[in-house]
Amino acid sequence: MTTAPEKPTGTRGLRDFYENPAVPVASGTPRSLRQARLLAAALGPAGPGGGRVIVDIGCGDGTAAATAAPLLPGHRIVGVDWSQDALARARTRLPYSVRGELTDGGLPLRTGAADAVLFSEVVEHLVDPDAALDEIRRVLRPGGHLMLSTPNLAAWYNRALLAAGIQPVFSEVSLRAIHGRPGREVVGHLRLYTARALREFVTAAGFEVVRLTGAPFHGVPRPLRALDRLACVRPSLASILLLHARRT
C-alpha cells in the first residue's frame, strides 16, 4: 500500500505526498495510446517548417509522453511537472522536461507557446482545477488542442458499487490508506468527474469540446477486462474519460 508521510496538512502535505517515490506517477498504456492517437489525428504530420510544440503538463515519470512520441514524429514534446522526483525519472525518457506548476506563478511558458497540451490523469489531483484550466488556456495558442484524461466517477462498476453502498473506485477519503472501497493504492484523488460534468467544466473554461471518448483502466481485474473494453463504446460508462477540446 502506498502511504503519505504522517500528518499531511494542506498544500504542504500534498507536495510531500507527490514527492514520495512510492506514489504512482504513471498510468496505463492503453489510455496513453488512445490519447496519443487522438492527438496525432488532430495535429497531422509535422510540416517542412518543423513540428508543433506539445506540452505534457503533469508528465510524471514521462511514460505517457514517451508512449505518444512514436505516433507524433517531428513534433516536440515538453514535459512539465513540479515533482522533482518525477522529473528525474522523466528526464530518462524525454529530451525536454522542465519544472513548473499550474498555480503560484504559473507555467514557465509564454502565452500562446503551445500548439497542444496533454493533461493526463492530473485534473483529479488538483485543489483548484479552475485556475489550472485558465493557465492551460493561456499557454495554448488560439485553436490549440487540449487532450485531457481523467477517471470516470460513473464508470460501469462504480454504479454497481454505489448501489451496494460501497465507496466508488478512484475516490479517496484519506491520503494515508484506502477506506471503504476495492483497491490498495493511495494516489491522491481530490476531484472526480462524470462525462457530463467534464464537458460542462471544460466548456465553461473557454474550450470547445471536439470529442469525448472512453478508455479502459489497467487496474480492472483480468476476468473483467473484456467487459471494461466493451464499456468504452459508451464513454459515460467507461473507466477513463478521454476528452479532446480546442481553445476558443
Side-chain angles (χ1 to χ4, degrees):
M1 178 183 294
T2 300
T3 58
E6 289 187 6
K7 298 183 181 178
T9 57
T11 305
R12 181 68 259 170
L14 287 172
R15 288 178 183 273
D16 290 343
F17 178 82
Y18 289 116
E19 289 290 0
N20 182 348
V23 173
V25 291
S27 298
T29 299
R31 189 270 304 153
S32 298
L33 281 172
R34 289 185 183 218
Q35 191 173 47
R37 292 185 187 112
L38 287 174
L39 181 56
L43 291 180
R52 307 288 183 88
V53 176
I54 303 164
V55 182
D56 184 2
I57 298 175
C59 66
D61 65 2
T63 299
T67 300
L71 302 178
L72 299 161
H75 298 297
R76 183 171 63 170
I77 302 178
V78 180
V80 180
D81 208 293
W82 60 255
S83 167
Q84 297 284 19
D85 176 74
L87 282 175
R89 286 180 271 175
R91 286 175 181 137
T92 67
R93 297 181 172 95
L94 302 177
Y96 309 102
S97 57
V98 295
R99 190 175 188 277
E101 50 190 295
L102 289 159
T103 56
D104 297 333
L107 297 167
L109 299 167
R110 70 179 188 276
T111 298
D115 296 290
V117 163
L118 283 171
F119 202 43
S120 305
E121 317 296 307
V122 177
V123 70
E124 65 271 15
H125 298 269
L126 300 179
V127 173
D128 190 351
D130 302 283
L133 281 199
D134 288 345
E135 181 63 1
I136 289 173
R137 192 172 187 278
R138 181 189 71 81
V139 302
L140 272 174
R141 64 167 175 80
H145 303 275
L146 169 63
M147 297 290 175
L148 184 156
S149 68
T150 190
N152 182 10
L153 174 60
W156 60 276
Y157 40 81
N158 278 346
R159 298 182 185 216
L161 290 172
L162 277 170
I166 299 172
Q167 187 82 10
V169 174
F170 307 126
S171 67
E172 296 178 344
V173 299
S174 169
L175 290 179
R176 300 179 185 178
I178 292 297
H179 300 290
R181 72 158 175 84
R184 293 183 298 172
E185 282 188 338
V186 178
V187 294
H189 288 175
L190 305 178
R191 309 277 180 178
L192 287 176
Y193 300 81
T194 64
R196 179 176 178 176
L198 186 63
R199 278 182 176 274
E200 292 183 5
F201 171 62
V202 170
T203 300
F207 293 85
E208 177 187 2
V209 175
V210 177
R211 185 181 180 190
L212 181 64
T213 186
F217 173 46
H218 63 278
V220 169
R222 189 175 298 276
L224 298 176
R225 289 181 184 175
L227 183 57
D228 193 42
R229 290 192 296 271
L230 181 62
C232 294
V233 174
R234 290 191 62 188
S236 61
L237 296 175
S239 287
I240 306 295
L241 300 171
L242 298 181
L243 181 137
H244 172 204
R246 299 192 72 171
R247 182 197 186 280
T248 55

